[in-house]
Amino acid sequence: MINIKNYSVKVTDAPYNAKGDGVTNDRAAIQQAIDDVYTQGGGTVILTEGKTFLSASLVLRSGIEFHFEDGATLYQTSDPSHYVKPIGEMEYEPYHPMYGHNVVPGIKWSHAWYFNYPMLFAAEGSHDIKITGNGTICMMPDDDPEKILRICPIGFYRTSNFEVSDITITNYHSYGMMIYTCDHGLFKNIKIHKNSHGNGDGIGLMNCQHIRVTECKMFTGDDSVYIFVSYKDPRGGGWWSSEEPQPTIDIEVDHNDLASNHCKAFGMILWGAECPDQSKVEVRDVYVHDNHFASLGNWNMNPYTKKEIYFAPVTHVKFENNVIDTIEENFFETQISDMSGFRSMTAMHNGDFENGGTAFWSMRKSSEDSVGVAYDEAGQEGTAYGYIKDLDKGDAAIYQGLYIEADEYCTFRAKVQSSGDTCRMFVKDLETQELIASKEFNNTEWAYEHLEFKVPKDANYHIGIERGNAEKGWARIDNARLMGNFRGAYGYKRVIMDDGKVVYINNEIN
């Protein structure tokens, strides 16, 4: 629940006296209303019905609901002298936003809005914030793109517990919403359209957790809604940074109608390869359902790294009941473990747990700490191993979700150890959880075990270790690998769309 006190002010009322005539600079009046309500412990700041408020960047504070009455418009000023940036607690200083599109030579996609402060900005540490109402954020018009002050309409950084609902963003010439390293947020019934002059993404969720995007309608100039993970992005350092990322966890995207005039309606940008701990840039637990996407695709190529492996890990993604007009080939090139609705990756990644904890691994828990990765010296190879424990409290398992083709002889090979209680290696159908193959083990010293199997159909399967018949104790796993699965390993199947359904063509990437 977002905590907003039952206290409100209208910016057109005294002592603020905002004009709302679309001509007068109302930034100072609106900011003063926000700051005053914040000092009162929070409440609602109201933009008056039918008024147009000319303004530069505004800083939202904790405990504030910024509410548009019907027909109210927040209109971006074109006068650079109107702009300020925060320098402390309710302190501001003038600054001149950058003109132009790409502004830093030598840094690809160094768009001005990565450096200019957003129109509505929630800064690091802010919480309990709402932007609501049937109103519009309209960015400045100009026929000459070099005369536009390109700022993001809504930008949050390290903000918790927030909601943006029912508003419209129009005539924008940057990304619509930049939501970076935030958590516990709701975006509902947002309309974004009429992008002008260059890139025009909709909602970008970078390194975010526990976010829902629902009932939104967008026709954007670039990607509409995307999940973004990044580490040490060279464009940061102004109002945001990815120097200390957090994994992207628990994202729900549902009942949206998304389209782009030349890019992806929905997708993922996976730019975390440089991070020493891949668990900090992992995408995990994504549920995408009941949407219409004009296109689906991913950005796997990171322009800011020289590593041969570009993608960040992605685990447990479920697509269900979506209508997708076009799927880009790059979506099927992405290494995704434990995916429903499409085929998962074909080979195990992070089988030795050395490259980022449980990255690429899924878990079934009997208690909060019953499944995970340990780094103590227990005779294992390397510095880390996976474990299941507290088996007296219920079932526990650690596994990866992989795509395997029928009639292909495969071997699941792993180094395992137990407390002496009989656990098992397993292969299960991802959708039905039917047990396809298993092998019990109860050795108290580390030993390699091999589970040979053949699956009955082309499908996604869970492969790992679980409690099995054990009623107590623990089990460990290290150096896991799936051998065989040769046909599936040679590239990723290309697709075409036929009446909204995926049709596989061949097993190569052209």
Side-chain angles (χ1 to χ4, degrees):
M1 179 178 290
I2 300 175
N3 184 22
I4 305 293
K5 285 191 174 182
N6 187 23
Y7 173 76
S8 64
V9 300
K10 278 193 176 183
V11 298
T12 50
D13 290 348
Y16 310 110
N17 300 315
K19 297 299 183 182
D21 57 11
V23 178
T24 305
N25 177 19
D26 286 322
R27 187 210 61 80
I30 299 171
Q31 187 66 63
Q32 191 61 57
I34 293 170
D35 292 348
D36 286 354
V37 172
Y38 172 65
T39 60
Q40 294 295 318
T44 302
V45 175
I46 301 171
L47 298 186
T48 309
E49 178 180 4
K51 297 285 188 178
T52 297
F53 298 90
L54 188 71
S55 181
S57 299
L58 298 164
V59 180
L60 301 178
R61 303 290 179 186
S62 297
I64 296 294
E65 177 174 354
F66 193 78
H67 181 72
F68 292 73
E69 289 188 329
D70 288 356
T73 299
L74 187 66
Y75 194 83
Q76 182 197 357
T77 177
S78 60
D79 188 340
S81 69
H82 293 172
Y83 286 80
V84 300
K85 65 180 182 180
I87 57 172
E89 184 75 1
M90 293 184 291
E91 295 182 45
Y92 314 92
E93 68 177 13
Y95 92 106
H96 195 313
M98 296 181 182
Y99 284 103
H101 188 185
N102 295 317
V103 296
V104 181
I107 298 180
K108 190 173 185 178
W109 299 325
S110 58
H111 307 318
W113 50 91
Y114 283 107
F115 306 92
N116 295 334
Y117 279 80
M119 186 75 167
L120 291 176
F121 175 49
E124 181 174 6
S126 57
H127 58 87
D128 294 285
I129 289 173
K130 298 176 76 173
I131 302 173
T132 63
N134 187 25
T136 300
I137 300 175
C138 183
M139 309 308 286
M140 62 172 287
D142 201 301
D143 292 334
D144 183 353
E146 296 304 314
K147 295 181 180 179
I148 295 175
L149 293 168
R150 299 173 189 265
I151 67 174
C152 175
I154 296 176
F156 291 174
Y157 177 60
R158 293 194 177 275
T159 299
S160 299
N161 213 33
F162 56 90
E163 174 187 330
V164 182
S165 59
D166 301 324
I167 65 165
T168 297
I169 295 175
T170 189
N171 198 52
Y172 70 114
H173 31 70
S174 65
Y175 300 164
M177 298 188 195
M178 301 170 72
I179 312 300
Y180 289 178
T181 326
C182 295
D183 62 88
H184 295 89
L186 171 67
F187 299 91
K188 183 176 182 179
N189 193 31
I190 309 299
K191 296 178 179 62
I192 299 180
H193 60 88
K194 293 184 181 178
N195 164 255
S196 64
H197 300 302
N199 299 79
D201 295 359
I203 300 175
L205 305 173
M206 186 181 77
N207 302 340
C208 288
Q209 300 183 351
H210 313 298
I211 306 290
R212 184 182 181 194
V213 180
T214 185
E215 299 177 30
C216 296
K217 186 175 180 61
M218 303 181 193
F219 183 77
T220 58
D222 214 303
D223 305 320
S224 293
V225 173
Y226 57 93
I227 296 167
F228 181 16
V229 289
S230 191
Y231 174 67
K232 291 190 174 181
D233 191 313
R235 300 168 297 182
W239 62 270
W240 66 279
S241 171
S242 61
E243 292 290 314
E244 298 180 6
Q246 66 178 5
T248 294
I249 298 174
D250 183 27
I251 309 295
E252 183 176 8
V253 179
D254 67 283
H255 296 92
N256 301 285
D257 187 357
L258 307 179
S260 167
N261 68 9
H262 75 277
C263 211
K264 302 161 181 59
F266 176 74
M268 292 181 281
I269 301 176
L270 305 170
W271 291 355
E274 294 284 354
C275 188
D277 184 350
Q278 289 288 282
S279 67
K280 292 183 178 179
V281 291
E282 182 183 25
V283 175
R284 178 183 290 273
D285 300 336
V286 178
Y287 186 27
V288 183
H289 63 99
D290 298 287
N291 300 282
H292 171 237
F293 298 149
S295 57
L296 170 67
N298 293 333
W299 294 94
N300 295 322
M301 184 68 73
N302 184 349
Y304 311 123
T305 182
K306 295 180 180 179
K307 285 199 170 187
E308 293 182 2
I309 298 176
Y310 300 99
F311 55 84
V314 186
T315 308
H316 192 212
V317 178
K318 184 174 184 179
F319 287 86
E320 188 174 54
N321 298 330
N322 301 291
V323 175
I324 304 172
D325 298 337
T326 302
I327 303 179
E328 298 180 7
E329 187 175 283
N330 49 56
F331 177 80
F332 296 95
E333 298 169 10
T334 308
Q335 307 292 289
I336 301 178
S337 173
D338 196 16
M339 179 162 56
S340 300
F342 298 101
R343 50 179 298 191
S344 300
M345 63 191 192
T346 59
M348 282 190 165
H349 291 282
N350 193 31
D352 58 5
F353 301 94
E354 300 292 331
N355 195 30
T358 57
F360 290 113
W361 290 89
S362 294
M363 293 161 280
R364 191 165 65 245
K365 295 185 176 183
S366 60
S367 64
E368 180 62 29
D369 191 40
S370 64
V371 186
V373 173
Y375 300 91
D376 56 297
E377 294 185 10
Q380 80 281 11
E381 297 178 24
T383 61
Y385 61 87
Y387 68 81
I388 58 175
K389 66 178 186 179
D390 297 337
L391 303 183
D392 56 314
K393 297 179 181 178
D395 191 16
I398 185 166
Y399 54 90
Q400 293 195 16
L402 306 177
Y403 177 83
I404 305 174
E405 294 192 341
D407 300 322
E408 188 73 54
Y409 287 98
C410 297
T411 300
F412 171 37
R413 177 183 182 269
K415 202 171 187 180
V416 295
Q417 180 189 26
S418 84
S419 55
D421 302 276
T422 302
C423 299
R424 69 184 182 189
M425 305 168 72
F426 73 92
V427 178
K428 289 183 177 180
D429 186 298
L430 182 149
E431 299 294 343
T432 67
Q433 287 300 292
E434 175 189 359
L435 183 64
I436 304 301
S438 66
K439 184 175 184 180
E440 295 183 337
F441 64 92
N442 56 14
N443 47 289
T444 58
E445 299 293 331
W446 285 101
Y448 278 103
E449 295 289 347
H450 297 74
L451 173 57
E452 297 179 351
F453 65 94
K454 186 169 65 172
V455 298
K457 61 182 179 180
D458 296 357
N460 294 320
Y461 294 88
H462 286 160
I463 304 174
I465 63 169
E466 63 182 359
R467 180 180 71 163
N469 293 322
E471 296 182 356
K472 59 182 177 64
W474 49 262
R476 295 167 176 167
I477 182 172
D478 201 1
N479 295 349
R481 182 183 176 190
L482 178 65
M483 298 183 293
N485 200 27
F486 296 115
R487 287 180 295 171
Y490 292 144
Y492 294 84
K493 290 191 174 181
R494 300 183 61 206
V495 300
I496 57 173
M497 301 301 295
D498 184 9
D499 293 331
K501 296 181 179 180
V502 175
V503 178
Y504 294 106
I505 302 174
N506 56 43
N507 212 32
E508 299 176 354
I509 300 174
N510 294 325

